[in-house]
Every structure is written in structure tokens, then in C-alpha cells.
Amino acid sequence: MGVPLYQRKSEFFRTLGHPARIRILELLSERDHAVHELLAVLPIEASNLSQQLAVLRRAALVVSDRRDGQVVYSVSVPEVRHLLTTARAILSGLVADEDDDDQDLVAASN
Amino acid sequence: MGVPLYQRKSEFFRTLGHPARIRILELLSERDHAVHELLAVLPIEASNLSQQLAVLRRAALVVSDRRDGQVVYSVSVPEVRHLLTTARAILSGLVADEDDDDQDLVAASN
DNA sequence: AGCGGAGTTGCAAACATCTTCAAGTGATGT
DNA sequence: ACATCACTTGAAGATGTTTGCAACTCCGCT
């Protein structure tokens, strides 16, 4: 047994703890995106975006795939979507639990 | 509309992004605990514990209640438990989704 | 009034994360 | 070969978080 689970959990939540990374995950859980597509939507610099994508990659939440001269990212852990909707439910105060999960996540998130 | 939702989400996840806070939430989701009980279990200083509890209080994830000469904390957002079990599922790789939720969280978490 | 247990707060040093700039890689078009 | 688009990497300053110490409050007890 290496790193205790509660510590791995805290690291995991920390990787979700950044506005750009949240938006990236929201966009990617809608559909795969090339980096320049994300860049067109997010108000950050290219190098910053790359850094944030690297954080998500290291945490194995997304994978990148070079196809056709561009780098396409996709979520590799679909359950993240669930985490994001639960977070929204909690923040919306009323916490009506359980899965109205299939609605348009991005539209509902801004 | 004040702070955008994706930013509130990231702040929310950041408050979960600390090993002591994770353990506190796990312990409290088992049952209410007085501060000195938490202190007996966690390997941190009293002042540090107080700071972490303050972080959780500010995020409204826990509430404190002075009863009988001691301060007792309890979780105010039961759905946090769900988040913690989902995180464990994701980290355990196999991501067998959906709720084996009612088992002993603390025993399963160390 | 004075003491000890239970918690909290303020603060500064140590530590981590974020952002930007500059430089670099790789593939594609001319 | 050169330019350009699409991205990534490294490094450094700015900013934020964590930790421990000391000082403090708020009881209840004697």
C-alpha cells in the first residue's frame, strides 16, 4: 500500500479544483474537442490551456489523440460527468438528489 | 448573476482537495463528532484542525453546534458522501458505477 | 478569583499552484 | 527549404494554501 486512499482522493478533487479544468471537462463530456476548439471557447492563453490539459492528462481523466494534424482530447472517465452534476445539485442548494443526469450539461452549467 | 457556476464548482472541489478535510468528512458522515474526538483520530495539531473545520464551515458542508461544553460538528450536505464514494470508485479503477453506498465508508476508505 | 480543558484566531514561514513569456516540436502547405 | 498553424514545455514571478506557534476566548470546576 503506497499513498493512502484519502490522500489520493484529495489529489483527485484538487485536479477538479480549477475553473478552466471544470469547463474543459464539461465541454469534453459533451463531445471530443481538438485543442484549438477549446481555445476558441475558453478565455485563456494557448500555453495555459496546454498546462491545464496536462494536469487532466496526468490525473488520467482525459486522453489525447493526434489525428489529422490536430490533437483531440476526450474524457476517459465518464463518471466525472456524474461528479459535475452532483456538484451542481449541491451548489444549487436544493440538492434534489439523483440523476437528472442526461440533460445538456454545458447549457445547464454556465 | 454573480460568480459563474463553473467557478463555484471549482471552489467547491478545492474545499474537498485536502487529505485532512476528506478524512473529517468521512468521519462526520459516519456520525457527529466533537472536535477533540476528531483530534484523537487525526494526526494534526488542534489549530490546524480548527482551520480545516473553518474551511468546511465556510463552504457550508458542515455545521458546528456547541453542546455540553464541547463543539460538535455534523455534515450539512449528505450528498457529499455520494461524492466520496464516487471518487473512491473512480480511483479504484474499476469504476463499477452506482451505489454500493450504504457500506461502512470509513472502513472502506483507509 | 484562579485553573485547566476545549476550541478558535492571527500571523509568518514553508510550500504549492497559476499564469505568462519565450522557446521548441511536428505536421502541412508552397 | 521556409513559413505557418497547432500544440507543448520550461521557467519564473505572482498568488494562494498549509502549518505551527503563540495568544486568546469560553466554559465549568474548586
Side-chain angles (χ1 to χ4, degrees):
Chain A
M1 180 254 216
V3 183
L5 189 48
Y6 59 82
Q7 188 173 334
R8 311 223 350 263
K9 280 184 205 164
S10 72
E11 284 159 14
F12 173 75
F13 285 123
R14 260 206 319 285
T15 86
L16 300 180
H18 189 289
R21 293 198 291 268
I22 292 286
R23 298 205 67 196
I24 291 167
L25 289 171
E26 288 175 345
L27 289 164
L28 292 185
S29 76
E30 281 264 301
R31 62 168 178 81
D32 295 1
H33 282 72
V35 176
H36 69 271
E37 292 179 308
L38 296 171
L39 197 49
V41 175
L42 301 172
I44 61 179
E45 298 237 328
S47 66
N48 193 348
L49 177 55
S50 260
Q51 302 274 16
Q52 306 308 338
L53 288 169
V55 172
L56 294 173
R57 243 187 297 122
R58 258 175 256 131
L61 293 181
V62 303
V63 289
S64 66
D65 185 7
R66 180 157 234 134
R67 44 189 191 243
D68 194 40
Q70 22 183 75
V71 179
V72 176
Y73 278 83
S74 33
V75 300
S76 47
V77 179
E79 290 72 21
V80 166
R81 201 177 212 281
H82 196 253
L83 249 30
L84 294 173
T85 58
T86 304
R88 185 173 81 240
I90 291 175
L91 290 171
S92 304
L94 280 159
V95 201
D97 206 36
E98 250 7 66
D99 300 10
D100 44 15
D101 211 325
D102 292 55
Q103 63 195 250
D104 184 324
L105 207 167
V106 171
S109 314
N110 294 320
Chain B
M1 179 254 215
V3 183
L5 189 47
Y6 59 82
Q7 188 172 334
R8 310 219 356 259
K9 280 185 205 164
S10 72
E11 283 159 13
F12 173 76
F13 285 121
R14 254 198 333 278
T15 85
L16 300 180
H18 188 288
R21 293 197 292 267
I22 292 285
R23 297 206 68 196
I24 291 167
L25 289 171
E26 288 175 345
L27 289 164
L28 293 184
S29 76
E30 281 265 300
R31 62 169 179 80
D32 295 0
H33 283 72
V35 176
H36 68 273
E37 293 178 308
L38 295 171
L39 199 48
V41 175
L42 302 172
I44 62 178
E45 298 242 327
S47 67
N48 193 347
L49 177 55
S50 260
Q51 302 274 15
Q52 305 308 338
L53 288 169
V55 172
L56 294 173
R57 243 188 297 121
R58 259 176 256 129
L61 293 181
V62 304
V63 288
S64 66
D65 185 9
R66 180 156 234 137
R67 44 190 192 245
D68 193 41
Q70 25 183 72
V71 180
V72 176
Y73 277 84
S74 33
V75 300
S76 47
V77 179
E79 290 71 22
V80 166
R81 202 175 210 282
H82 197 252
L83 250 28
L84 294 173
T85 58
T86 303
R88 186 173 81 239
I90 291 175
L91 291 171
S92 304
L94 280 158
V95 202
D97 206 35
E98 246 12 62
D99 300 11
D100 43 18
D101 211 325
D102 291 53
Q103 62 195 249
D104 184 324
L105 206 167
V106 172
S109 316
N110 292 321

